[in-house]
Amino acid sequence: NAGVMQNPRHLVRRRGQEARLRCSPMKGHSHVYWYRQLPEEGLKFMVYLQKENIIDESGMPKERFSAEFPKEGPSILRIQQVVRGDSAAYFCASSQLPGTSEVNEQFFGPGTRLTVL
Amino acid sequence: DQQVKQNSPSLSVQEGRISILNCDYTNSMFDYFLWYKKYPAEGPTFLISISSIKDKNEDGRFTVFLNKSAKHLSLHIVPSQPGDSAVYFCAASVLNSGNTPLVFGKGTRLSVIA
């Protein structure tokens, strides 16, 4: 089953540490999206990437957050100097190239639950 | 400012009856709508979608209705089964712009009682 993979599933960090979240898209998918879900909230878009390109980062906080999707390897969401308010579930989704499907369907990974102590 | 609203945080339905989940949106640029189902500690799973050129799409027990003039869509599940108990998210996108991010509602928790 070549679904969207995310690791780690759970991550605990102390305030001030760095958090690195990884996402491997589905086979054949070249578009990756990161979403954040706070408790009792819906998923909020953070960033949209293709290989080696950030397409849309309008949902990313201006400081401490960064994302990349290198030519080889998974997409990484990096949070520097984490604070308690960063505690959330972070979901990655992937989709096909535009034009290859009429469906703008994004497939989601199981998420990484970040807890900041 | 919430562009996609699910005003009912929860819904309880008896097994075998119809479940109706509602969703409203404010952005008239949205032209593609999706419903996702989410179990605890799992990622959202795609359920059904509808393009703005249609007003209905059906897939087995699941039907989505779109009323563009009212900027309203609904998901009907019939008959409801206990395994349908989950959180359902409505999402919208601007399909004509390519692979754009999804805008999600806050979700409705459906409980199907046996």
Side-chain angles (χ1 to χ4, degrees), chain A residues 103 105, chain B residues 32-35 46-51 57-58 64:
Chain A
V103 175
E105 182 183 323
Chain B
Y32 197 78
F33 305 90
L34 308 90
W35 284 94
F46 171 75
L47 203 55
I48 193 169
S49 62
I50 188 166
S51 162
N57 189 24
E58 193 172 351
V64 56

Side-chain angles (χ1 to χ4, degrees), chain A residues 5-92:
Chain A
M5 310 273 289
Q6 287 189 252
N7 69 82
R9 294 292 307 273
H10 299 274
L11 182 61
V12 179
R13 285 286 178 266
R14 296 192 182 279
R15 280 178 297 169
Q17 291 184 319
E18 178 179 285
R20 283 196 183 200
L21 290 65
R22 294 173 186 79
C23 169
S24 296
M26 279 182 71
K27 190 175 181 180
H29 286 189
S30 57
H31 296 243
V32 166
Y33 307 78
W34 285 93
Y35 294 84
R36 176 165 65 174
Q37 185 184 23
L38 296 170
E40 307 303 321
E41 295 285 325
L43 283 75
K44 294 280 170 62
F45 165 73
M46 298 181 75
V47 62
Y48 163 34
L49 310 103
Q50 294 178 28
K51 288 280 187 183
E52 300 184 281
N53 268 320
I54 296 175
I55 307 302
D56 181 352
E57 56 181 348
S58 58
M60 286 274 271
K62 297 286 182 247
E63 297 176 348
R64 303 188 297 107
F65 286 72
S66 62
E68 62 177 10
F69 190 13
K71 189 177 179 182
E72 301 290 339
S75 175
I76 307 279
L77 178 67
R78 184 183 291 112
I79 312 171
Q80 296 177 304
Q81 299 180 17
V82 296
V83 300
R84 289 220 173 103
D86 297 333
S87 296
Y90 291 82
F91 292 96
C92 167

Side-chain angles (χ1 to χ4, degrees), chain A residues 9 31 33 35 37 40-43 45 48 56 91 95-98 102-106 108-110 113, chain B residues 2 32 34 36 38 40-44 46 49 89 93 95 98-107 109:
Chain A
R9 294 292 307 273
H31 296 243
Y33 307 78
Y35 294 84
Q37 185 184 23
E40 307 303 321
E41 295 285 325
L43 283 75
F45 165 73
Y48 163 34
D56 181 352
F91 292 96
S95 68
Q96 294 177 325
L97 281 169
E102 66 181 14
V103 175
N104 185 24
E105 182 183 323
Q106 295 178 17
F108 282 82
R113 273 138 195 91
Chain B
Q2 275 237 281
Y32 197 78
L34 308 90
Y36 282 83
K38 186 179 181 303
E42 293 185 12
F46 171 75
S49 62
F89 290 98
S93 70
L95 183 63
N99 271 358
T100 56
L102 299 175
V103 180
F104 283 86
K106 290 190 176 184
R109 184 179 302 278

Side-chain angles (χ1 to χ4, degrees), chain B residues 5-78:
Chain B
K5 297 178 186 177
Q6 293 178 257
N7 291 321
S8 298
S10 62
L11 176 68
S12 286
V13 172
Q14 270 201 310
E15 181 180 7
R17 308 293 286 266
I18 184 170
S19 295
I20 301 177
L21 296 94
N22 293 303
C23 178
D24 297 290
Y25 61 97
T26 57
N27 188 344
S28 56
M29 296 293 291
F30 289 144
D31 57 6
Y32 197 78
F33 305 90
L34 308 90
W35 284 94
Y36 282 83
K37 176 180 178 179
K38 186 179 181 303
Y39 292 116
E42 293 185 12
T45 303
F46 171 75
L47 203 55
I48 193 169
S49 62
I50 188 166
S51 162
S52 60
I53 62 173
K54 296 182 178 179
D55 55 17
K56 177 183 174 182
N57 189 24
E58 193 172 351
D59 183 2
R61 296 186 297 114
F62 302 90
T63 304
V64 56
F65 295 92
L66 175 63
N67 182 336
K68 280 182 293 182
S69 60
K71 294 193 178 71
H72 177 83
L73 64 154
S74 60
L75 174 68
H76 292 212
I77 307 173
V78 55

